[in-house]
Amino acid sequence: MKLCFATKDTLNHVFEEKLSKVAGCDVLTFGFNGLGLVSYKKELSGETEYFQDVAKLSKQLSSVVICGCDTDNYGVYRHSVVIADSGKLLGVSDMAHSFGDSEYAPGGNFRVYDTHVGKIGLIVQEDLFFPETSRVLTLCDADLLICVFKKLENLMPQIMMRACSFSNGVAMAVCAHNYACISDIRGNVKVAGSLDFINANVKIEKDYHLISSRRRGLYRDFNSGY
């Protein structure tokens, strides 16, 4: 699967002037710079067409396009990620957790999107810091996990990405402003950089780990069988 990350440009700027930079990719991912703030009220009234622009770009490229944005749902603000596949808008995922007194409210549940190139699980912003996020998406048979982050302030997102890839046995990518990285199922960083456009080929492979835990009445002596 060929991935491309646009870490600086807006979606419209790429659509109008830089299509050659992203041509031929299977999945194109923008950070939150891609769309900016999207008002559901304006989208529904036809005053803006941000989501339609994502679908149009995916149709032009015959690929999957993923783009971060902040959404205004009639005064309720959320961190969100929109995904489209070959001209069809598949949905919008919101960040499911909220921190302290943040002005951004938590949104809906996690979701895996079935695309023509595979099943993609989307992670929004700090949801990456909660291990159950990647675990749930993996158990829902995601082939690839993609996290869209606003701006990386430290190494913690990359550390969590590598840990999630290793513990769940699925490749994962993080796209943020001026940075993108990918880890394989062994937790190794395969690609990382801060170029305007970062391209990478990712082999879809899975390595499910059989995990068991001690339960009352359902365990045997540690030394038995050794």
Side-chain angles (χ1 to χ4, degrees):
M1 183 186 297
K2 184 177 180 181
L3 307 182
C4 181
F5 302 92
T7 68
K8 295 180 182 178
D9 284 297
T10 65
L11 183 141
N12 280 336
H13 189 209
V14 171
F15 201 174
E16 295 171 0
E17 299 184 20
K18 299 184 178 180
L19 276 180
S20 60
K21 297 284 187 179
V22 297
C25 67
D26 296 310
V27 181
L28 170 61
T29 303
F30 292 85
F32 278 80
N33 52 284
L35 290 180
L37 178 64
V38 180
S39 166
Y40 279 112
K41 181 179 180 180
K42 292 181 179 180
E43 286 288 293
L44 291 172
S45 68
E47 186 176 343
T48 62
E49 296 181 338
Y50 288 113
F51 291 164
Q52 186 175 340
D53 289 342
V54 178
K56 286 180 179 177
L57 180 57
S58 72
K59 183 177 182 179
Q60 179 71 28
L61 297 173
S62 298
S63 66
V64 176
V65 174
I66 297 168
C67 192
C69 60
D70 289 328
T71 52
D72 175 7
N73 189 0
Y74 294 87
V76 178
Y77 294 90
R78 294 187 174 95
H79 295 306
S80 307
V81 174
V82 60
I83 179 172
D85 181 11
S86 304
K88 180 181 179 181
L89 183 66
L90 298 184
V92 180
S93 289
D94 300 322
M95 191 170 82
H97 300 87
S98 181
F99 288 79
D101 57 354
S102 172
E103 64 177 307
Y104 293 95
N109 294 325
F110 309 122
R111 182 176 173 185
V112 173
Y113 296 90
D114 196 356
T115 75
H116 79 281
V117 295
K119 296 179 180 180
I120 299 176
L122 293 184
I123 299 176
V124 186
Q125 274 278 108
E126 283 96 344
D127 281 346
L128 174 63
F129 298 152
F130 296 83
E132 63 268 23
T133 302
S134 57
R135 187 65 176 167
V136 167
L137 294 172
T138 302
L139 291 175
C140 289
D141 204 29
D143 298 312
L144 173 69
L145 301 181
I146 294 180
C147 174
V148 180
F149 223 92
K150 270 200 170 181
K151 187 176 182 180
L152 303 189
E153 303 290 347
N154 50 50
L155 291 176
M156 189 54 64
Q158 188 187 91
I159 292 171
M160 290 300 301
M161 174 195 71
R162 297 179 65 184
C164 290
S165 295
F166 174 77
S167 61
N168 294 300
V170 62
M172 186 172 180
V174 171
C175 181
H177 176 67
N178 199 32
Y179 184 78
C181 56
I182 302 170
S183 62
D184 63 17
I185 63 174
R186 286 160 287 278
N188 298 319
V189 175
K190 306 303 293 184
V191 174
S194 57
L195 299 175
D196 292 4
F197 296 94
I198 298 173
N199 294 284
N201 288 309
V202 175
K203 180 181 178 181
I204 299 302
E205 54 181 344
K206 297 182 181 180
D207 183 21
Y208 291 115
H209 301 293
L210 181 61
I211 300 174
S212 61
S213 58
R214 174 174 170 172
R215 298 175 183 274
R216 184 184 296 271
L218 294 176
Y219 63 93
R220 63 182 181 178
D221 182 78
F222 178 78
N223 291 319
S224 64
Y226 287 87

